[in-house]
Amino acid sequence: QVQLVESGGGLVQAGGSLSLSCATSGINFNTRTMGWYRQAPGTEREFVAKVLYNGITSYAESVEGRFTITRDNTRNTAYLQMNSLKPEDTAVYYCHAFNYMHHPSHWGQGIQVTVSS
């Protein structure tokens, strides 16, 4: 059974930091591109960041320079360090395991991040 479990969300003031974790099981983590997406009320889910199996990263322009995605292949866990948070970063954040060959993609259940002004 595949599980992606996010943790670390919460409420923070603008300018503050939060760190999200995504603990996975049931997938071959080392082969998967891992990503974070977010969805604010009334909007579509949007890409935030991703990290390839080899550590290469890419970011949405809106978070570039403020967010850092990493992975620990020994712990089957992906992370998202969020600094200089803004109210517009408020959303439910979802962990995503991209599909690999014939293996489907997977989503976590989501975790709320709220940034107060």
Side-chain angles (χ1 to χ4, degrees), residues 29-115:
F29 184 82
N30 292 358
T31 64
R32 297 287 190 133
T33 295
M34 296 298 299
W36 290 93
Y37 286 71
R38 67 187 182 186
Q39 187 168 19
T43 70
E44 294 188 354
R45 193 172 298 188
E46 66 174 6
F47 169 78
V48 174
K50 68 179 180 182
V51 56
L52 304 186
Y53 72 97
N54 58 7
I56 294 175
T57 59
S58 61
Y59 298 91
E61 187 174 331
S62 59
V63 306
E64 182 86 53
R66 299 188 299 121
F67 290 11
T68 302
I69 187 170
T70 57
R71 64 189 296 154
D72 185 340
N73 289 345
T74 66
R75 297 179 182 268
N76 296 336
T77 301
Y79 305 93
L80 185 69
Q81 177 65 40
M82 304 183 291
N83 298 329
S84 302
L85 282 161
K86 304 174 182 180
E88 51 263 44
D89 294 318
T90 295
V92 176
Y93 282 71
Y94 296 90
C95 180
H96 182 58
F98 285 71
N99 65 295
Y100 175 74
M101 298 182 73
H102 61 280
H103 298 286
S105 63
H106 301 281
W107 291 95
Q109 80 284 358
I111 192 164
Q112 179 69 45
V113 170
T114 303
V115 184

